[in-house]
Amino acid sequence: MGKIEWAMWANEQALAAGLILLTGGIVGTAGQFRDWQFAAYGIAAGVFVCLLEYPRGKRNKGTSVERTGQHCFTICVKSFGPLTRNYYVRAFLHAAICVPGGFMLATVLGCVCLGIASLIYLGAAIRGEQWEPIMPREPSKKPVGESIKQPPKNPPPRPPQDMRRKRAEDLEGAAYANPITVTE
């Protein structure tokens, strides 16, 4: 079996946790719950976590698929260098972010999910994983094959090459003249 890439799991978990934390913060702030300031913190923390976690990292296999619109977020996250590339930093950052949201019921679920993502990131860091950005590839210029330069003339199904009828243009200089195409 292949090696599990824990960072991919942690990324999905943290992004979901950020969205849950944001939603709980909106509910707590809009409802003016007691200690609603923790809910306002939950909104800010949820937005920060979502912005940090939206760009996916490159997989070791190289089969990564980037999220829609991820490129501009990737550039921002990449600009912070080792602070965002290192999973130890992300693990401790998420652990610190999730603590204040635990004091309010509306944001507790987001904080628990973020704490789990922090543990998964810690496991990924222990295994030596780190975040690498998915950058767009330059399209490779492959030479066009001869069969593509001349598209087929007749619709499918086509008979094999040796069974096809020859065109008059292809037979110029042939040993015989076709009586149907020769006009005198």
Side-chain angles (χ1 to χ4, degrees):
M1 287 198 45
K3 180 182 165 189
I4 294 175
E5 294 185 39
W6 291 96
M8 299 300 286
W9 289 91
N11 178 261
E12 296 293 330
Q13 177 74 24
L15 184 62
L19 292 172
I20 294 168
L21 191 59
L22 175 66
T23 305
I26 291 171
V27 168
T29 304
Q32 291 291 312
F33 291 1
R34 190 184 82 219
D35 295 332
W36 63 269
Q37 294 84 1
F38 289 115
Y41 168 80
I43 293 172
V47 168
F48 174 75
V49 169
C50 288
L51 291 176
L52 177 64
E53 296 295 334
Y54 189 72
R56 276 190 183 130
K58 188 189 302 184
R59 295 184 64 191
N60 291 337
K61 291 181 181 179
T63 57
S64 305
V65 177
E66 68 178 37
R67 290 187 173 106
T68 305
Q70 160 179 329
H71 183 67
C72 61
F73 295 113
T74 301
I75 292 171
C76 293
V77 171
K78 183 181 170 186
S79 67
F80 287 100
L83 289 177
T84 54
R85 190 178 334 132
N86 191 340
Y87 286 144
Y88 282 113
V89 173
R90 283 197 188 191
F92 292 121
L93 179 67
H94 289 330
I97 287 174
C98 76
V99 171
F103 293 111
M104 182 174 198
L105 185 61
T107 58
V108 164
L109 181 61
C111 290
V112 169
C113 292
L114 196 58
I116 292 170
S118 173
L119 292 174
I120 298 171
Y121 267 133
L122 185 62
I126 290 170
R127 286 175 178 77
E129 298 178 33
Q130 73 174 15
W131 186 80
E132 293 294 328
I134 301 174
M135 298 308 285
R137 288 184 244 144
E138 297 295 324
S140 60
K141 300 283 184 173
K142 294 182 180 178
V144 179
E146 287 297 320
S147 63
I148 297 175
K149 288 181 183 175
Q150 293 295 329
K153 302 281 190 270
N154 55 342
R158 297 178 193 93
Q161 184 73 23
D162 56 340
M163 300 295 292
R164 294 183 191 158
R165 290 188 345 169
K166 307 293 185 221
R167 297 182 312 164
E169 299 90 34
D170 296 339
L171 295 176
E172 288 182 22
Y176 67 94
N178 189 345
I180 297 174
T181 60
V182 177
T183 58
E184 294 183 28

